[in-house]
Amino acid sequence: MRLDGLRSLACIAAILCIFLAPAHAQQRQTTDGTRQTGGTNSAPPVLPKGYVIGPEDVLSIVVWREKDLSTDVIVRPDGKISLPLLNDVQAAGYTPEQLAEIVEKAAAKYVTDSDATVIVRQINSRKVFVIGEVGKAGAFPLTSEMNVLQLIASVGGLAEFADKKNVMILRNENGRERRFRFNYNEVIEGKNLQQNIMLQPGDTVLVR
């Protein structure tokens, strides 16, 4: 009786292994797939209107069927990127489409029918600066369209004793400084809204 009982338990265990093995394999496959998905790169940012590549931007250079020429790069302070075989390539000042054409022409020396794509992973070159009587002064990324009032809100607003009527926006245009006056009180009251200008990369907002 005891031997028959052991044989019955062994049979039950074998049957359970048959039914549970596929489920276990499926679970392991699902776990591996999730891990692979978690390792993929995040979606690239939406490029602002008129965007051109600048220093500190992070790019993915993809040359079709040529892994040796494809890589992720950071634009150097001199505006160039280093690519395998192609050495230094000027990137700053070009749109992603223009840079892709430049890479294609350079890669044509090594591969036939080169087809390059430039993907912007991070925009770090477009910055505006806020100094003076605000909640948080410093440099802030300008990754989308933003006006003066929106920037002030994003840095914690104006300080208690700030001169709200004489906020200044400093802009460099062709080597010359241009100043725009911003009256905070008027804008929040809906008056003279034209002074709530759209900011450009490199602008400095000065709050005394």
Side-chain angles (χ1 to χ4, degrees), residues 96-164:
E97 293 78 12
Q98 290 171 333
L99 179 58
E101 293 180 2
I102 293 173
V103 173
E104 286 179 4
K105 292 180 180 178
K109 300 177 182 179
Y110 304 96
V111 297
T112 57
D113 298 329
S114 60
D115 186 5
T117 301
V118 175
I119 302 171
V120 180
R121 293 297 180 187
Q122 294 181 20
I123 302 175
N124 300 321
S125 60
R126 294 170 57 93
K127 297 177 182 178
V128 291
F129 305 88
V130 185
I131 57 177
E133 300 298 317
V134 294
K136 183 181 179 182
F140 298 87
L142 187 65
T143 57
S144 61
E145 291 189 348
M146 178 182 292
N147 58 39
V148 181
L149 188 61
Q150 290 170 332
L151 176 64
I152 291 175
S154 68
V155 300
L158 302 179
E160 182 179 358
F161 299 105
D163 186 356
K164 298 180 180 180

Side-chain angles (χ1 to χ4, degrees):
M1 294 291 293
R2 185 176 299 174
L3 182 60
D4 292 339
L6 291 175
R7 288 176 178 175
S8 298
L9 290 175
C11 291
I12 294 172
I15 294 172
L16 288 175
C17 289
I18 293 173
F19 283 99
L20 291 178
H24 177 70
Q26 182 178 1
Q27 182 179 5
R28 183 175 58 186
Q29 182 177 359
T30 303
T31 303
D32 293 343
T34 304
R35 187 181 300 115
Q36 291 176 359
T37 301
T40 56
N41 293 329
S42 58
V46 177
L47 301 182
K49 183 179 180 180
Y51 168 79
V52 293
I53 298 167
E56 300 183 23
D57 286 348
V58 181
L59 312 175
S60 287
I61 311 297
V62 180
V63 181
W64 187 52
R65 295 187 302 184
E66 295 295 334
K67 292 183 178 180
D68 292 338
L69 296 177
S70 301
T71 185
D72 292 342
V73 293
I74 299 177
V75 182
R76 303 198 307 255
D78 62 359
K80 296 182 179 181
I81 57 176
S82 296
L83 298 177
L85 298 179
L86 307 183
N87 299 321
D88 291 346
V89 176
Q90 180 67 32
Y94 294 110
T95 66
E97 293 78 12
Q98 290 171 333
L99 179 58
E101 293 180 2
I102 293 173
V103 173
E104 286 179 4
K105 292 180 180 178
K109 300 177 182 179
Y110 304 96
V111 297
T112 57
D113 298 329
S114 60
D115 186 5
T117 301
V118 175
I119 302 171
V120 180
R121 293 297 180 187
Q122 294 181 20
I123 302 175
N124 300 321
S125 60
R126 294 170 57 93
K127 297 177 182 178
V128 291
F129 305 88
V130 185
I131 57 177
E133 300 298 317
V134 294
K136 183 181 179 182
F140 298 87
L142 187 65
T143 57
S144 61
E145 291 189 348
M146 178 182 292
N147 58 39
V148 181
L149 188 61
Q150 290 170 332
L151 176 64
I152 291 175
S154 68
V155 300
L158 302 179
E160 182 179 358
F161 299 105
D163 186 356
K164 298 180 180 180
K165 297 181 180 180
N166 291 291
V167 176
M168 300 298 299
I169 298 92
L170 314 180
R171 176 175 298 169
N172 189 313
E173 292 184 348
N174 300 320
R176 294 184 179 182
E177 183 182 81
R178 187 177 179 185
R179 296 191 170 210
F180 302 86
R181 180 175 170 272
F182 177 84
N183 187 321
Y184 178 84
N185 292 337
E186 288 182 349
V187 172
I188 62 174
E189 293 174 0
K191 302 176 182 178
N192 299 324
L193 297 180
Q194 70 278 2
Q195 62 187 310
N196 189 25
I197 61 174
M198 303 303 296
L199 295 169
Q200 297 181 8
D203 283 355
T204 299
V205 177
L206 172 61
V207 184
R208 295 185 176 88

